[in-house]
Amino acid sequence: MSVAPMLDWTDRHCRYLHRLLSKHTLLYTEMITTGALIHGDVARHLRFNEEEHPVALQLGGSEPADLAKAAKIGQDWGYDEINLNCGCPSERVQRGAFGACLMNEAPLVADCVKAMRDVVDVPVTVKHRIGIDKIESYDFVRDFVGTVAEAGCDTFIVHARNAWLQGLSPKENRDIPPLRYEIVAQLKREFPHLTIAINGGIKTDEVVQQQLQAVDGVMIGREAYHNPWWLSRWDELYFGAPPSELTHMDVERAMVEYMEREAREHDTHWYAIARHMLGLRHGLPGARRWRQVWSDHRLKHLPASEVSAIANTKPSTAEAQ
């Protein structure tokens, strides 16, 4: 089980929350471009909490030499895996000639993988789509995986939709192209020696368990963010751990402690952290008010512990009305 790299969402604060809920799930960073690491503020992009392990760094780029440099930086910072993004369809990423458009250039992706593997000891993996634009033949994605696997990549995370490079926004690309799980299952049958994980539209344990009959792993995206409490069952269901005894309040207290630590050590305001846990009480009575309190900008001057106390105080009759 893993949580997908999601731009603007899976930062280190989000990953800290997810790690509280599951000790074993593999967590991914947001996509970070090679240019940001080679020419930018490395600490700002790569700093993470030791508690986050196992954690993978996802890179965006298409120059083998630059990807090798960025992968080495990532390993030196302590990441457990380097993942190459070959699935993002955004126009900004296309202008940089990477993301989903790399699926048209399998030999280049193979060169990128080899360049990274030559300089790091941690696994180098690839996340990609099943096709791009109107290319819907299985042969296309089969040949992509086969070519890249020859360069030494043995783990592929497959988003089971095409990426439409023209005419759809990144958001639309997560919903409009149809899901074709059977293509991913076929990849696993054809490449039994590779680790094949599936991503895309999976929201329940029932579907996860169905997919695990056909592939090796499941990556969850938006559902893990909007309903993070789901992760609290994963260690028991998928990693053979004892049932979790955590309560929602346990997790909230741990997040408040984390907010206070971040404020002391990095001058990070709790508001930047709390946004990631707004789905923690998804489906529970009182969740709406709890969410409103934690996202109320008028409370930003208060310490996180006081905001938590307000959020967990039953509203007066007047407030309720």
Side-chain angles (χ1 to χ4, degrees):
M1 295 297 290
S2 62
V3 176
M6 292 178 279
L7 201 58
D8 296 326
W9 286 4
T10 51
D11 63 16
R12 61 192 177 90
H13 309 310
C14 175
R15 297 193 303 268
Y16 189 87
L17 168 65
H18 287 167
R19 182 57 71 222
L20 288 171
L21 293 160
S22 170
K23 300 301 181 190
H24 302 289
T25 296
L26 178 59
L27 305 178
Y28 282 76
T29 68
E30 307 165 87
M31 182 189 69
I32 301 170
T33 64
T34 54
L37 294 187
I38 296 171
H39 307 295
D41 183 342
V42 173
R44 183 172 72 84
H45 292 296
L46 293 190
R47 187 171 74 237
F48 67 97
N49 306 285
E50 281 301 309
E51 297 93 335
E52 292 174 41
H53 289 293
V55 58
L57 168 64
Q58 187 184 68
L59 294 175
S62 59
E63 293 290 335
D66 288 350
L67 281 163
K69 287 180 188 175
K72 183 65 167 62
I73 293 170
Q75 176 178 270
D76 291 347
W77 270 76
Y79 283 91
D80 301 297
E81 173 186 318
I82 307 297
N83 178 262
L84 178 62
N85 184 319
C86 294
C88 180
S90 82
E91 289 185 10
R92 179 174 66 86
V93 166
Q94 288 180 58
R95 286 197 295 273
F98 58 96
C101 61
L102 280 176
M103 289 194 71
N104 266 328
E105 301 184 66
L108 173 59
V109 175
D111 289 344
C112 291
V113 165
K114 184 179 185 306
M116 290 188 284
R117 291 187 75 246
D118 284 346
V119 297
V120 301
D121 301 317
V122 297
V124 174
T125 65
V126 172
K127 185 172 188 291
H128 60 95
R129 298 285 186 126
I130 56 172
I132 51 177
D133 295 322
K134 295 185 179 179
I135 301 174
E136 295 188 348
S137 76
Y138 169 72
D139 293 357
F140 177 78
V141 67
R142 178 201 63 199
D143 293 348
F144 174 84
V145 169
T147 300
V148 178
E150 288 176 0
C153 181
D154 60 11
T155 299
F156 295 81
I157 303 105
V158 190
H159 187 153
R161 301 180 195 269
N162 273 37
W164 294 2
L165 301 182
Q166 302 294 328
L168 292 183
S169 69
K171 180 179 184 300
E172 290 170 328
N173 258 292
R174 294 192 296 266
D175 294 307
I176 292 177
L179 285 162
R180 293 191 293 158
Y181 294 149
E182 70 278 3
I183 296 293
V184 188
Q186 192 172 351
L187 283 172
K188 180 59 189 175
R189 290 194 298 272
E190 184 145 351
F191 299 99
H193 59 291
L194 298 178
T195 297
I196 304 290
I198 193 168
N199 169 235
I202 298 171
K203 298 181 179 181
T204 67
D205 286 317
E206 181 183 12
V207 177
V208 169
Q209 288 157 0
Q210 288 171 356
Q211 292 302 322
L212 288 176
Q213 301 302 308
V215 296
D216 303 299
V218 175
M219 174 181 275
I220 305 295
R222 286 166 290 167
E223 189 67 17
Y225 189 85
H226 294 307
N227 182 19
W229 191 253
W230 185 21
L231 276 71
S232 69
R233 301 197 299 273
W234 291 1
D235 287 355
E236 178 188 5
L237 289 174
Y238 307 116
F239 296 98
S244 172
E245 296 182 359
L246 281 175
T247 66
H248 292 80
M249 199 64 227
D250 291 335
V251 175
E252 184 174 346
R253 287 193 194 100
M255 286 302 292
V256 168
E257 290 175 9
Y258 173 69
M259 292 171 190
E260 292 171 346
R261 186 178 90 192
E262 280 290 307
R264 287 192 310 271
E265 297 179 2
H266 302 293
D267 200 28
T268 304
H269 196 283
W270 64 259
Y271 204 75
I273 301 171
R275 70 186 182 99
H276 297 301
M277 69 174 194
L278 296 181
L280 184 61
R281 300 197 179 196
H282 175 79
L284 295 182
R288 183 182 177 191
R289 178 183 178 274
W290 182 87
R291 213 166 41 240
Q292 287 171 338
V293 171
W294 272 112
S295 56
D296 189 342
H297 70 277
R298 295 170 299 179
L299 303 179
K300 289 174 74 172
H301 66 287
L302 296 176
S305 57
E306 290 189 26
V307 178
S308 179
I310 295 169
N312 288 285
T313 301
K314 288 187 177 180
S316 65
T317 305
E319 274 188 292
Q321 291 174 343

